[in-house]
Amino acid sequence: MYLTIEETAEYIAMNPSSVTALVMQGRIRAIHDGEQYLINKEQFTTHFEQVEKYKKMIQEYLNEPIPEDIDVKDED
């Protein structure tokens, strides 16, 4: 499914001029149909899935307990 720049801006909660700038810089892939740029919605869906996956991995890492040191001696 292809979105216009305005629809894409709404989908990713950005300003349309910022989306246009990213398209012109080549950071967002788009096709030009002669009148407007069309952007494939799937590239953002994949990106959002990857971001959620990495957030989950980081949270799991941060929640992992710190192992006790084997060499620690409780002597006064």
Side-chain angles (χ1 to χ4, degrees):
M1 173 181 206
Y2 287 94
L3 304 173
T4 64
I5 290 200
E6 290 78 20
E7 293 169 338
T8 303
E10 184 177 322
Y11 181 65
I12 61 175
M14 283 185 76
N15 187 342
S17 61
S18 299
V19 174
T20 303
L22 291 172
V23 168
M24 294 301 169
Q25 294 170 5
R27 297 183 66 195
I28 295 178
R29 289 180 287 151
I31 58 172
H32 192 265
D33 70 352
E35 295 179 14
Q36 61 186 353
Y37 284 97
L38 297 173
I39 301 163
N40 190 343
K41 185 178 180 180
E42 291 301 315
Q43 68 180 315
F44 296 107
T45 305
T46 304
H47 173 73
F48 291 141
E49 289 171 355
Q50 288 176 348
V51 167
E52 287 302 316
K53 182 177 99 175
Y54 289 126
K55 281 182 183 178
K56 189 175 183 179
M57 288 173 52
I58 290 170
Q59 194 59 39
E60 288 174 1
Y61 175 76
L62 292 174
N63 289 338
E64 187 175 307
I66 299 173
E68 288 189 34
D69 189 9
I70 303 170
D71 296 335
V72 173
K73 297 179 181 177
D74 191 23
E75 296 180 9
D76 290 330

